[in-house]
Amino acid sequence: MSDTANKPPSEPQIKFPVFPPGFHFSTLDEACKLTLLRSPQPPSTPITSGPLTLLPLAAAYFSAFLPRDWCIGFVPHGGYLSSLLTRAGLEFLRLLPTESWGTTLTPSFRKALSQHIHPLKFQVEFLRRALSDSTCTIRVQATKLGVSYSVLSLSLYQLTPNTTPPLHYECCTGYFTYTNIPLSEPISTSPTVLLPHEYSIPPLSLCTPIISNSTNTRWRVCFKKLIYHIPPTFTQNLSLGLVEQWVRWADYPQRRVGFFPHDMGYICDMYIPPMEALLQANGFGKGTRWYPTLGYEVELKSLPGDEGLGWEWLFMRVESRGVRGGRLDVRVQVWGSEDGKGEGEMVLVARGSQVCLALSGEKNAKGRGEKNSLEDVLMCGVLQEVDRREDSRKVV
């Protein structure tokens, strides 16, 4: 019998994104470029509800292009889409005093809204996969406009070309809260108690750059937007579902642009996947996997010392507490220093949490509406077995 017959079955053939020579790899600012749409317009007539006549809430529409280089495989990265929605909300508040849907507000109220430049928190639900290399429409609806805080409802739609007639699909939707942190936290009236971090943060000087294999960077295309420095305990922690990493924009030496509050949607969702090593440590081998997000939340805790420069380096601690039925939860903490360079006292910058699915990479390249492959069904069983093994080993 030949050696070939004794080889274990190989991984399903996975398609990888291909970029032609001279392809322009965009920055996050370029990938989040928005265009205000004059049509469709928000409703101009009052909304009647029983005996009450309510004024229509302000709404606006933006268009954006989703580039290929901000994807996992072929699907736009959820953290990138969250940052895109975050910026659409900021643009809505910036334009509110001058557009027709904001002229009914008093001048003092419009001024207060224009100062809501910090995305305090958001929660996003991902309903359907978005299509890369295509345009999308973002609808921004004012749910609550206030002097101190404003809450906006945002939804991202795309036109699906595979249906006749074409239909608009809602890909993701969420609520975003905006404020001005210094103005909303007057020192004389608002108590502030800061607790130290409950674990030691490895100094950046003791960490080394990670060397990613070509398969990982070919699949996780937007992974290359950052550089990652890891502590000496990285491998040991990874097998327990824990990732510690320092990150910086890969093009920082050229652009000298740091991280800003409106980037936290992307940052809190861009890390070395802890579940990859956890699966391998439990004997399930290597494979190209995809972790699409179901629900995602981020809360901003502090601002950079210099809001014009942002943070050059940020420290991230990522924990996955287990897998059940093909679903996994991830919690993220992001820390930064006053000088933005990772030196001196560290403060909590943001918290993030999400619930993801664990699927084979084969599913990523499929179009909307196609059935799960046998590999995906088997993967759910594999992950349940991982969870049983974890329980038996008392790994928490």
Side-chain angles (χ1 to χ4, degrees):
M1 185 177 295
S2 64
D3 293 338
T4 304
N6 295 326
K7 290 184 178 180
S10 60
E11 177 187 359
Q13 188 66 32
I14 302 296
K15 299 178 181 178
F16 288 92
V18 177
F19 296 90
F23 179 85
H24 175 67
F25 288 89
S26 57
T27 66
L28 187 57
D29 290 338
E30 294 171 332
C32 292
K33 184 178 180 181
L34 297 161
T35 302
L36 178 65
L37 298 177
R38 299 299 176 179
S39 178
Q41 292 289 343
S44 57
T45 57
I47 302 172
T48 302
S49 176
L52 299 177
T53 300
L54 306 176
L55 293 176
L57 295 174
Y61 298 82
F62 299 89
S63 67
F65 182 80
L66 307 182
R68 297 168 53 195
D69 56 318
W70 287 89
C71 292
I72 301 295
F74 297 89
V75 179
H77 180 245
Y80 155 63
L81 295 180
S82 299
S83 288
L84 176 62
L85 292 177
T86 300
R87 297 189 186 211
L90 290 171
E91 185 69 3
F92 172 84
L93 293 172
R94 187 185 70 84
L95 296 174
L96 189 61
T98 61
E99 294 296 327
S100 59
W101 23 271
T103 53
T104 58
L105 304 175
T106 63
S108 60
F109 195 43
R110 291 202 300 268
K111 180 181 179 181
L113 293 176
S114 67
Q115 295 177 330
H116 291 177
I117 58 175
H118 302 132
L120 182 64
K121 65 181 293 291
F122 69 76
Q123 55 184 23
V124 178
E125 302 296 325
F126 292 88
L127 310 176
R128 300 172 183 86
R129 72 177 65 195
L131 301 177
S132 62
D133 233 1
S134 58
T135 59
C136 68
T137 299
I138 299 173
R139 185 178 191 272
V140 186
Q141 176 82 50
T143 303
K144 182 259 184 184
L145 298 176
V147 174
S148 298
Y149 301 92
S150 292
V151 181
L152 306 180
S153 171
L154 289 95
S155 296
L156 187 148
Y157 299 86
Q158 277 192 311
L159 198 64
T160 302
N162 299 329
T163 60
T164 305
L167 301 174
H168 276 96
Y169 276 91
E170 186 176 21
C171 299
C172 55
T173 184
Y175 287 94
F176 291 70
T177 301
Y178 297 88
T179 187
N180 188 298
I181 290 181
L183 297 181
S184 65
E185 299 178 350
I187 298 177
S188 59
T189 60
S190 299
T192 299
V193 178
L194 300 178
L195 298 177
H197 43 80
E198 64 271 24
Y199 50 85
S200 60
I201 296 179
L204 179 58
S205 58
L206 299 181
C207 299
T208 56
I210 188 171
I211 301 176
S212 300
N213 60 63
S214 59
T215 300
N216 184 52
T217 54
R218 284 174 61 200
W219 178 250
R220 297 171 57 82
V221 180
C222 61
F223 184 84
K224 297 184 290 186
K225 303 294 183 179
L226 304 177
I227 61 172
Y228 308 81
H229 285 213
I230 56 175
T233 57
F234 176 80
T235 302
Q236 175 185 353
N237 291 340
L238 191 59
S239 62
L240 301 177
L242 172 65
V243 168
E244 293 184 326
Q245 60 184 32
W246 285 88
V247 295
R248 186 180 74 174
W249 287 120
D251 60 359
Y252 183 86
Q254 293 77 37
R255 295 198 305 132
R256 312 300 293 181
V257 174
F259 300 116
F260 296 96
H262 53 246
D263 300 330
M264 288 302 112
Y266 170 74
I267 298 303
C268 289
D269 194 24
M270 183 42 57
Y271 43 79
I272 303 162
M275 292 310 301
E276 292 288 344
L278 188 58
L279 287 169
Q280 295 177 29
N282 282 271
F284 292 100
K286 298 181 179 180
T288 301
R289 300 184 180 93
W290 178 39
Y291 302 99
T293 303
L294 293 177
Y296 183 36
E297 297 184 18
V298 170
E299 179 187 0
L300 181 68
K301 305 299 289 185
S302 59
L303 300 175
D306 188 331
E307 290 196 61
L309 297 177
W311 295 279
E312 178 184 351
W313 286 97
L314 289 173
F315 173 79
M316 298 177 62
R317 181 182 173 92
V318 185
E319 293 182 273
S320 179
R321 305 299 293 177
V323 183
R324 295 188 182 274
R327 298 181 303 274
L328 61 123
D329 64 282
V330 179
R331 296 185 298 178
V332 179
Q333 289 189 355
V334 181
W335 295 78
S337 61
E338 181 73 16
D339 64 359
K341 299 182 180 298
E343 301 175 355
E345 182 181 0
M346 302 290 288
V347 297
L348 183 62
V349 170
R351 293 179 185 268
S353 64
Q354 59 179 298
V355 177
C356 310
L357 295 176
L359 304 176
S360 70
E362 184 185 15
K363 177 68 175 177
N364 179 280
K366 292 186 176 182
R368 290 196 183 111
E370 296 190 46
K371 295 181 179 180
N372 288 356
S373 66
L374 177 61
E375 180 74 12
D376 294 331
V377 177
L378 294 176
M379 181 57 65
C380 288
V382 165
L383 294 174
Q384 288 176 329
E385 178 63 22
V386 169
D387 189 63
R388 285 193 291 269
R389 293 191 183 187
E390 279 192 288
D391 291 339
S392 65
R393 296 182 184 185
K394 306 297 183 182
V395 176
V396 295

